[in-house]
């Protein structure tokens, strides 16, 4: 990128690389990118690594990434939830409870995720776990189809 196109990579570029490496299971390589290339890592790059640790059940790197991201954004309930999910995927229930207790003490609440989708000029909003949407049957049928075809949603 730098040599061929003269573009100096910035933090967003490195965050994308960390995310791609993490999604492909190369978590140690992703951590190496952060430690060797990024002068001042932000919460986005650490959360990309934490997400990869959850998916690939790497508690050691997950704990390290959680420490870093929570050091930057200690009031972000999403990062606590993500770290709790790392522990849950490894069936480390004591650690899950510990993280949830910290969240409770800090009065942190994780709000459900949401998405919007525009189809044929009509905008629809969806909230995670919503069963009241007028097209709920179609939505969950499509999610089931995507999951059957190996797409993680």
């Amino acid at each position: 990128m730098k040599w061929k196109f003269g573009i100096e990579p910035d933090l967003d570029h490195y965050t994308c690389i960390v995310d791609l490496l993490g999604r492909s299971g190369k978590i140690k390589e992703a951590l190496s990118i952060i430690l060797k290339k990024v002068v001042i890592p932000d919460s986005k790059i650490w959360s990309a690594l934490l997400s990869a640790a959850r998916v690939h059940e790497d508690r050691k790197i997950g704990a390290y990434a959680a420490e870093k991201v929570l050091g930057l954004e200690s009031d972000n309930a999403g990062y606590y939830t993500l770290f709790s999910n790392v522990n849950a995927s490894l069936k480390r229930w004591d650690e899950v409870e510990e993280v949830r207790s910290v969240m409770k003490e800090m009065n942190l609440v994780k709000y459900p995720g949401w998405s919007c989708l525009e189809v044929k000029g009509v905008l629809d909003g969806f909230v995670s776990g919503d069963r009241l949407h007028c097209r709920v049957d179609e939505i969950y049928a499509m999610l089931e189809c995507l999951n059957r075809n190996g797409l993680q949603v």
Side-chain angles (χ1 to χ4, degrees):
M1 189 172 141
K2 183 177 178 180
W3 299 320
K4 190 169 183 174
F5 300 104
I7 299 171
E8 190 70 39
D10 63 16
L11 187 55
D12 288 336
H13 294 111
Y14 286 116
T15 301
C16 288
I17 296 298
V18 166
D19 186 49
L20 290 170
L21 286 169
R23 287 174 186 261
S24 67
K26 297 180 179 182
I27 300 172
K28 289 179 181 163
E29 291 88 338
L31 175 59
S32 178
I33 291 289
I34 297 171
L35 297 176
K36 290 180 181 177
K37 302 287 185 189
V38 180
V39 178
I40 303 174
D42 68 356
S43 57
K44 288 187 277 186
I45 201 166
W46 287 118
S47 69
L49 186 66
L50 181 56
S51 293
R54 181 190 60 83
V55 170
H56 297 287
E57 299 180 344
D58 189 320
R59 189 192 184 298
K60 187 175 179 181
I61 290 180
Y64 183 72
E67 176 187 323
K68 296 297 186 178
V69 75
L70 292 171
L72 294 168
E73 286 190 45
S74 62
D75 61 343
N76 188 319
Y79 296 146
Y80 285 93
T81 303
L82 188 54
F83 184 46
S84 174
N85 291 341
V86 170
N87 289 309
S89 69
L90 296 167
K91 297 179 179 31
R92 298 178 68 111
W93 305 117
D94 289 343
E95 286 89 344
V96 170
E97 186 57 39
E98 185 178 324
V99 173
R100 302 279 168 123
S101 292
V102 169
M103 288 178 70
K104 198 174 214 177
E105 287 171 21
M106 296 176 67
N107 292 319
L108 297 176
V109 177
K110 171 71 172 88
Y111 296 100
W114 61 274
S115 298
C116 287
L117 181 65
E118 183 177 346
V119 178
K120 298 181 182 176
V122 176
L123 189 65
D124 270 310
F126 309 95
V127 177
S128 178
D130 181 8
R131 296 288 180 175
L132 301 175
H133 192 278
C134 62
R135 298 176 71 187
V136 67
D137 293 334
E138 293 173 71
I139 293 168
Y140 282 94
M142 180 56 71
L143 287 173
E144 192 174 308
C145 179
L146 291 170
N147 281 327
R148 273 196 310 268
N149 289 314
L151 296 173
Q152 188 179 25
V153 292

